[in-house]
Amino acid sequence: VESHVKYKAEVLLSDKLSIGIRISEIKPIKFLIDYIIQRLSDEKLVATGYTWMAGYSYKDKRVAKLPKQFIEKVKQFEEL
């Protein structure tokens, strides 16, 4: 699991934001979520980022393969 953010412009507490999220890559054990954050008032891109997420078995307490149905649904929805 890994997370990264790149700040591109300042954001104030009073700013309203639009946050776009998509899964851009999926593998048997992990998937990549991409983020874009824009300030609504001027549509300025204020941050981008990504997170790698992994399947996990709480029973076995280790990384596990993602369910096939999840992978299929993500690929269909994201057109991967």
Side-chain angles (χ1 to χ4, degrees), residues 25-75:
E25 190 174 338
I26 191 161
K27 298 181 179 188
I29 293 177
K30 63 183 182 175
F31 58 98
L32 180 63
I33 304 171
D34 291 318
Y35 310 93
I36 58 167
I37 303 171
Q38 292 178 291
R39 187 172 35 237
L40 287 177
S41 62
D42 60 1
E43 297 184 1
K44 174 91 174 169
L45 182 64
V46 297
T48 60
Y50 66 84
T51 304
W52 275 107
M53 301 291 290
Y56 185 79
S57 169
Y58 287 94
K59 178 183 167 198
D60 299 329
K61 297 185 191 272
R62 64 185 189 105
V63 174
K65 285 188 175 182
L66 298 168
K68 287 182 183 180
Q69 185 179 17
F70 174 76
I71 293 171
E72 290 169 7
K73 293 285 185 184
V74 167
K75 284 182 174 181

Side-chain angles (χ1 to χ4, degrees), residues 3-41:
S3 292
H4 174 80
V5 64
K6 185 169 186 178
Y7 299 99
K8 297 182 170 279
E10 97 178 337
V11 174
L12 302 176
L13 186 58
S14 60
D15 287 336
K16 294 189 187 228
L17 304 173
S18 170
I19 301 171
I21 300 171
R22 75 176 300 256
I23 295 174
S24 62
E25 190 174 338
I26 191 161
K27 298 181 179 188
I29 293 177
K30 63 183 182 175
F31 58 98
L32 180 63
I33 304 171
D34 291 318
Y35 310 93
I36 58 167
I37 303 171
Q38 292 178 291
R39 187 172 35 237
L40 287 177
S41 62

